[in-house]
Amino acid sequence: MNEAARVTGRLAPDQGARDAALSALASRFGDRMSTSAAVREQHGHTTTWHANMPPDAVVYARSEDEVAEIVRICAGHGMPVIPFGTGTSLEGQVNAPFGGVSIDMSQMNRILAVHPEDLDCVVEPGVTRKALNEYLRDQGLFFPIDPGANASIGGMASTRASGTNAVRYGTMKDAVLSLRAVMPDGRVIRTGTRARKSSAGYDLTRLMVGAEGTLGVITELTLRLHGIPEAISAGVCQFETLEGACSAVVATIQSGIPVARIELLDELQVRASNAYSKLTLQEKPSLFVEFHGSEAGVREQAELFGAIAAEFGGGEFAWAREQEARNRLWQARHDAYWACVALRPGAKAIATDVCVPISRLAECIMKSREDLDRANLLGPIVGHVGDGNFHVSLLVDMTDSAEVEAAGGFMSRLVDRAIEMGGTCTGEHGVGHGKTKYLAKELGEAVDVMRAVKQAIDPGCIMNPGKIISPDEQSSLVREPT
Amino acid sequence: MNEAARVTGRLAPDQGARDAALSALASRFGDRMSTSAAVREQHGHTTTWHANMPPDAVVYARSEDEVAEIVRICAGHGMPVIPFGTGTSLEGQVNAPFGGVSIDMSQMNRILAVHPEDLDCVVEPGVTRKALNEYLRDQGLFFPIDPGANASIGGMASTRASGTNAVRYGTMKDAVLSLRAVMPDGRVIRTGTRARKSSAGYDLTRLMVGAEGTLGVITELTLRLHGIPEAISAGVCQFETLEGACSAVVATIQSGIPVARIELLDELQVRASNAYSKLTLQEKPSLFVEFHGSEAGVREQAELFGAIAAEFGGGEFAWAREQEARNRLWQARHDAYWACVALRPGAKAIATDVCVPISRLAECIMKSREDLDRANLLGPIVGHVGDGNFHVSLLVDMTDSAEVEAAGGFMSRLVDRAIEMGGTCTGEHGVGHGKTKYLAKELGEAVDVMRAVKQAIDPGCIMNPGKIISPDEQSSLVREPT
């Protein structure tokens, strides 16, 4: 399989093919195709540290049929296709290292159906998570997956995103019941039905979720929804030590309290969030916690959690009972990344994303904290700690080569540490082109099987090439960032 | 992709290749390989109606290395490989339509590790669900997935099984964190880590779960566990009408009560289970229900459910408070299939398995009940109705060709009805070779993508050929059952 599976093929089309594809797209899509430098750069944009690698053109699609047309035109010329949602991915997922056409899905933003009785809905991929939740609120429903950014549902599916609610409601893997996608040859498939479970053949839904646009373009998603709980209570509990806060999380999860959110901010992150989000917390390791259930159930959960927190040095619980106070709290949590960026003006924030078995969480965080201090790096820590997932936001002066090197060393040690503890290099950000080198380290020969799947579904290797699967030939073909 | 994706290849090896493979296996495995008719027949055994198609030989594997050896020997001779757990699948998944070697995994039944603090464990595929739960009980943990049979974990993963707890705890798709598998070329891969979530590349775990042994042989699984709830209460609620029972289920799910189990038995199934399992229920449509949580939480759930049931004509709730009474209740539910078989001695039971959006459940069940009556067929109905999944156990005299034909017509109409309602032909039994014809009906061109994946990972088409993906060439090559 090794050889057959190798993604070879000409990844960057030659100038003639490129011109022909662009000319065909221009004549078909007119104003809705752009080759302007500003638009291209915006679509090669990347949050965090990856260099901007703009595509050759951007086309704004309005329907599945149009996506299929664009893909067919590109396939005919060996032109890479990069699906684009909101450009908020963190590992360079929308970069165009081999050039190509970015399909901007933001105009495919209709909510096609809501089935309150089945707790599901059908949406186009350009719908953002906030727009969806605003739409659903009046019906007493919500969609729980919430990465920091107001990302598009298609993008969130593509990176297998999660966020603060995953500990209770799962990730995009669990939230997508079924989807439609344009495959690399332009055909459209539907991967499942609205049934809540199925054993009907290979799980193509889960294959497309997390594929980062490398197997096709998602054009429609059927999502599981949840009823807005009767009672919600949230609050902050502050700890004397980072270890105490971590241990409280582990004990909470192990005790089976169905906590809806349990988020860690270390001392430095609290300082950053105080400044950026106008919080007034003490600069101490803190847990942001939320409980969902009936009035009585929420009270019971909060009492149980309070007892556990106290055992590990947690202070008084500061409740955010009103929706407005809760919103402020969670907005601050979602803005943690931007708070970090503001902590050291001029520096780039490099977001790491390891996830470990929860029994190793405290140890992994403590060792990483020590490692940061030893390497003299500035890196606030936040985490979806109920899942064992945490982020160090390294704030790096990219003009200081020694510091850049130190940051690289730290990242590599962090991933090694997580893998050694039975964890993963990425809990929710995906591989993009930033983590391809870690994937083989983590999963070994399984990556060859991924390559075989990629080769089978996208033999021309036009779908978001260079992401997840790193062909041997890639590095020499990568175009310099423009 | 269409043409390249076609699984062609010689599916049934010629006699020379067959003899060479068997001779190599015999000299390597000695007594642990058997070609006796009785053993072969046992391994081509199938619950429900499919004819027995025995393999050429059975090898009892004791380790992953041995599985890899067997697969490599078979691959070298184009010999089909059929992984075998307990032989309790319902769609002919272990049949050998092209001959080949059945790998019996029952001796790979070690529980390799339990990590109570992480709520996970690592097991070999031959461990059965009951053995696992017995082992876990002392640690306050349980594994929730419970198909009727005491199936093996490897087999359950391969058919993406579920059972009565799926409404609360999910299916094998949710229960498997990671797995190891021997691929068709004999290489071993690991698909994930012990992290509770990951965005590290294609979701090969979910690709192997539900693949029914057509992509490789699962040799180890890391499973999510749950703490045994502080309080459990279960009981039976009987209804005047089938529609009332169905509507009560729908209302319960929609109201967000986190019911752990909610199972429907129609009047006929109650009669069958009374006789087979010595229950003393009135012959009325009934719901078997279970609640998990804290003492207070369980009480609250039961009260809410009681109010809903009363609204739809449900009678007094008969509680099974003691563990022994609960065990009796659920054993009766798990034995529903055998109770059906006993209802009409001499008849074969044909289990159907549609799953529909819950809003259509009552309608789908009522229409199917009418259809059964019109076709003059005997078919008790049971269902994991909280998921929209129900089974009609058709009791058919296979010597009566008119009745066999009527049963076939009913099954086909049932699947059409479920698909038309946005559902699936199989909620938990899998496709096997019994449902290949429905798969294309349900998912259309997505089956071509499945075929491309199959072809890429198993180019020689040796892994459980003829299951899930039905190659065009298959029918003419199928050997007659022996």
Side-chain angles (χ1 to χ4, degrees):
Chain A
M1 188 162 60
N2 236 333
E3 272 317 296
R6 199 65 72 199
V7 177
T8 50
R10 181 183 42 91
L11 288 172
D14 62 32
Q15 199 57 48
R18 199 180 296 272
D19 290 345
L22 296 184
S23 145
L25 289 167
S27 69
R28 167 63 183 82
F29 291 97
D31 275 1
R32 281 194 288 131
M33 173 177 135
S34 171
T35 54
S36 91
V39 170
R40 289 168 51 228
E41 193 158 326
Q42 183 214 338
H43 285 77
H45 172 76
T46 182
T47 312
T48 186
W49 61 294
H50 300 284
N52 192 316
M53 301 181 189
D56 292 297
V58 176
V59 183
Y60 294 82
R62 289 194 183 148
S63 69
E64 182 176 270
D65 283 350
E66 287 191 359
V67 173
E69 258 188 281
I70 298 165
V71 169
R72 273 195 296 265
I73 289 171
C74 287
H77 299 283
M79 188 77 163
V81 172
I82 301 117
F84 182 95
T86 57
T88 49
S89 59
L90 294 163
E91 291 295 347
Q93 276 94 344
V94 298
N95 266 348
F98 307 101
V101 173
S102 173
I103 308 185
D104 186 308
M105 309 295 285
S106 62
Q107 295 181 21
M108 287 181 66
N109 62 351
R110 290 178 303 163
I111 294 166
L112 300 171
V114 178
H115 305 109
E117 66 285 16
D118 294 314
L119 298 171
D120 72 44
C121 68
V122 184
V123 303
E124 289 186 327
V127 173
T128 65
R129 65 173 183 87
K130 287 189 183 173
L132 178 59
N133 274 317
E134 257 166 55
Y135 189 91
L136 293 172
R137 192 173 303 129
D138 288 349
Q139 302 180 64
L141 298 170
F142 81 111
F143 177 71
I145 319 293
D146 66 336
N150 184 21
S152 68
I153 301 294
M156 287 164 61
S158 292
T159 55
R160 206 180 295 132
S162 49
T164 67
N165 287 300
V167 63
R168 167 84 171 253
Y169 297 96
T171 74
M172 285 304 281
K173 153 178 91 60
D174 309 291
V176 181
L177 271 176
S178 165
L179 56 82
R180 291 173 65 93
V182 172
M183 303 308 285
D185 58 3
R187 285 191 304 165
V188 176
I189 66 162
R190 181 170 54 77
T191 61
T193 70
R194 282 180 54 233
R196 287 181 90 72
K197 66 181 195 186
S198 170
S199 289
Y202 302 156
D203 192 343
L204 298 182
T205 308
R206 251 53 58 181
L207 185 62
M208 298 298 291
V209 170
E212 303 186 11
T214 64
L215 300 178
V217 185
I218 296 173
T219 48
E220 186 185 294
L221 304 100
T222 301
L223 304 172
R224 284 182 83 141
L225 302 174
H226 296 267
I228 295 174
E230 177 194 329
I232 301 177
S233 77
V236 178
C237 185
Q238 299 204 281
F239 289 77
E240 290 308 314
T241 65
L242 188 55
E243 200 167 10
C246 290
S247 301
V249 172
V250 174
T252 301
I253 298 300
Q254 286 170 3
S255 74
I257 300 173
V259 62
R261 291 165 146 167
I262 186 160
E263 296 284 313
L264 173 76
L265 291 78
D266 80 346
E267 209 168 321
L268 194 53
Q269 181 67 51
V270 171
R271 186 191 311 166
S273 293
N274 272 345
Y276 185 85
S277 300
K278 316 268 178 289
L279 302 182
T280 55
L281 297 171
Q282 294 177 63
E283 285 183 16
K284 284 182 178 179
S286 302
L287 295 178
F288 288 13
V289 185
E290 189 165 282
F291 306 105
H292 293 178
S294 65
E295 291 287 353
V298 160
R299 208 158 38 235
E300 191 177 34
Q301 291 176 51
E303 276 164 21
L304 288 168
F305 172 76
I308 289 172
E311 206 176 310
F312 293 98
E316 274 298 289
F317 205 81
W319 290 101
R321 279 202 182 74
E322 302 308 312
Q323 176 148 5
E324 202 186 324
R326 283 206 313 273
N327 288 353
R328 204 160 50 235
L329 189 68
W330 294 116
Q331 191 58 50
R333 171 61 192 88
H334 283 130
D335 288 340
Y337 176 82
W338 298 110
C340 290
V341 171
L343 197 62
R344 189 181 178 193
K348 272 267 186 197
I350 304 180
T352 70
D353 181 37
V354 298
C355 185
V356 296
I358 193 150
S359 63
R360 310 298 296 272
L361 176 69
E363 182 189 354
C364 193
I365 289 184
M366 295 311 295
K367 283 193 170 158
S368 302
R369 181 83 272 167
E370 287 160 25
D371 190 349
L372 280 170
D373 293 343
R374 245 191 335 264
N376 204 20
L377 288 163
L378 192 67
I381 296 176
V382 292
H384 312 302
V385 280
D387 297 312
N389 182 207
F390 69 93
H391 310 300
V392 181
S393 306
L394 291 167
L395 298 169
V396 180
D397 176 355
M398 299 300 273
T399 66
D400 179 340
S401 62
E403 195 176 321
V404 169
E405 196 179 322
F410 172 83
M411 283 195 288
S412 178
R413 289 190 300 277
L414 175 64
V415 168
D416 287 344
R417 189 177 301 129
I419 292 174
E420 185 273 320
M421 289 180 176
T424 175
C425 65
T426 173
E428 58 179 10
H429 295 170
V431 175
H433 69 191
K435 289 209 166 75
T436 50
K437 62 176 173 292
Y438 298 134
L439 194 60
K441 208 177 220 185
E442 181 176 324
L443 295 176
E445 291 206 281
V447 179
D448 286 337
V449 176
M450 294 183 197
R451 195 175 277 118
V453 170
K454 164 74 172 172
Q455 169 75 9
I457 293 179
D458 180 22
C461 199
I462 62 162
M463 289 307 314
N464 210 0
K467 315 300 162 61
I468 300 184
I469 308 291
S470 169
D472 296 340
E473 299 75 6
Q474 177 180 325
S475 49
S476 62
L477 290 175
V478 173
R479 294 197 299 172
E480 285 307 305
T482 50
Chain B
M1 190 162 58
N2 237 334
E3 272 317 294
R6 200 65 72 198
V7 178
T8 51
R10 177 182 47 91
L11 287 173
D14 62 33
Q15 199 57 48
R18 199 180 295 272
D19 290 344
L22 295 184
S23 147
L25 288 167
S27 69
R28 168 62 185 83
F29 291 96
D31 276 1
R32 282 195 285 130
M33 173 177 135
S34 172
T35 53
S36 91
V39 170
R40 290 167 50 228
E41 194 158 322
Q42 184 213 338
H43 285 77
H45 173 76
T46 183
T47 312
T48 186
W49 61 293
H50 300 285
N52 192 318
M53 301 180 190
D56 292 296
V58 176
V59 183
Y60 294 83
R62 290 197 181 143
S63 69
E64 181 177 271
D65 282 350
E66 287 191 358
V67 173
E69 258 187 279
I70 298 165
V71 169
R72 273 194 297 265
I73 290 171
C74 288
H77 299 284
M79 187 76 163
V81 172
I82 301 118
F84 182 95
T86 58
T88 49
S89 59
L90 294 163
E91 292 294 347
Q93 276 94 346
V94 298
N95 267 348
F98 307 101
V101 173
S102 172
I103 308 186
D104 186 308
M105 309 294 285
S106 62
Q107 295 181 21
M108 287 181 64
N109 62 351
R110 289 178 304 162
I111 294 165
L112 300 170
V114 178
H115 305 109
E117 66 285 15
D118 294 314
L119 299 172
D120 73 45
C121 69
V122 184
V123 303
E124 288 186 328
V127 172
T128 65
R129 66 174 182 86
K130 287 189 182 173
L132 178 59
N133 275 317
E134 257 165 54
Y135 189 91
L136 294 172
R137 191 173 305 129
D138 288 349
Q139 300 181 66
L141 298 170
F142 81 111
F143 177 70
I145 319 294
D146 66 337
N150 184 21
S152 69
I153 301 294
M156 288 163 61
S158 293
T159 55
R160 205 180 296 131
S162 48
T164 66
N165 286 299
V167 62
R168 168 82 171 255
Y169 297 96
T171 75
M172 286 304 281
K173 152 176 93 58
D174 310 291
V176 181
L177 270 176
S178 164
L179 56 83
R180 291 174 64 93
V182 172
M183 302 309 284
D185 58 3
R187 285 192 305 166
V188 175
I189 65 162
R190 182 170 54 77
T191 61
T193 70
R194 284 181 53 234
R196 288 181 90 72
K197 67 180 195 185
S198 170
S199 289
Y202 302 156
D203 192 343
L204 298 183
T205 307
R206 250 54 58 183
L207 185 62
M208 298 298 290
V209 170
E212 302 186 12
T214 64
L215 299 177
V217 185
I218 296 173
T219 49
E220 187 185 293
L221 304 100
T222 301
L223 305 172
R224 283 184 84 142
L225 302 174
H226 297 266
I228 294 174
E230 178 194 328
I232 302 177
S233 77
V236 177
C237 186
Q238 300 205 278
F239 289 77
E240 290 309 314
T241 65
L242 188 55
E243 199 167 10
C246 290
S247 302
V249 172
V250 174
T252 301
I253 299 301
Q254 286 169 3
S255 73
I257 300 173
V259 62
R261 292 165 146 166
I262 186 159
E263 296 285 314
L264 173 76
L265 290 79
D266 80 346
E267 210 168 322
L268 194 53
Q269 181 66 52
V270 170
R271 185 190 311 165
S273 293
N274 272 344
Y276 185 86
S277 299
K278 315 270 180 288
L279 301 182
T280 54
L281 296 171
Q282 295 177 64
E283 284 183 16
K284 285 182 177 178
S286 303
L287 295 179
F288 288 14
V289 185
E290 188 165 282
F291 306 105
H292 293 176
S294 66
E295 292 288 352
V298 161
R299 211 161 32 239
E300 191 178 33
Q301 292 176 50
E303 277 164 21
L304 289 168
F305 172 75
I308 289 172
E311 207 177 309
F312 293 98
E316 274 298 289
F317 205 80
W319 290 101
R321 281 202 180 74
E322 302 308 313
Q323 174 148 8
E324 205 187 322
R326 283 207 312 273
N327 288 353
R328 205 160 48 236
L329 188 68
W330 294 116
Q331 192 57 50
R333 171 61 191 88
H334 284 129
D335 288 341
Y337 176 80
W338 299 109
C340 290
V341 171
L343 197 62
R344 189 179 179 196
K348 273 269 186 194
I350 304 179
T352 69
D353 182 38
V354 298
C355 185
V356 295
I358 193 148
S359 63
R360 309 298 296 271
L361 177 69
E363 181 190 355
C364 193
I365 289 184
M366 295 311 296
K367 284 194 169 156
S368 302
R369 181 82 271 168
E370 286 161 24
D371 191 350
L372 280 170
D373 294 344
R374 245 193 332 267
N376 203 21
L377 288 163
L378 191 66
I381 296 177
V382 292
H384 312 304
V385 279
D387 298 312
N389 182 207
F390 70 93
H391 310 301
V392 181
S393 306
L394 291 167
L395 298 169
V396 180
D397 176 356
M398 300 300 273
T399 66
D400 180 340
S401 63
E403 195 176 321
V404 170
E405 198 180 320
F410 171 82
M411 284 195 288
S412 178
R413 289 190 299 277
L414 175 63
V415 169
D416 287 345
R417 189 177 300 130
I419 292 174
E420 185 273 321
M421 290 181 175
T424 174
C425 65
T426 174
E428 57 179 10
H429 295 170
V431 175
H433 69 191
K435 288 211 166 77
T436 49
K437 62 176 174 290
Y438 298 134
L439 194 61
K441 206 177 222 186
E442 180 175 325
L443 295 177
E445 291 206 283
V447 179
D448 285 337
V449 176
M450 294 184 198
R451 194 175 278 116
V453 169
K454 164 74 173 172
Q455 169 74 10
I457 293 179
D458 180 22
C461 198
I462 62 162
M463 290 306 314
N464 210 0
K467 313 302 163 58
I468 299 183
I469 308 292
S470 171
D472 295 342
E473 298 75 6
Q474 178 180 324
S475 49
S476 61
L477 289 175
V478 174
R479 292 196 301 170
E480 284 307 304
T482 50

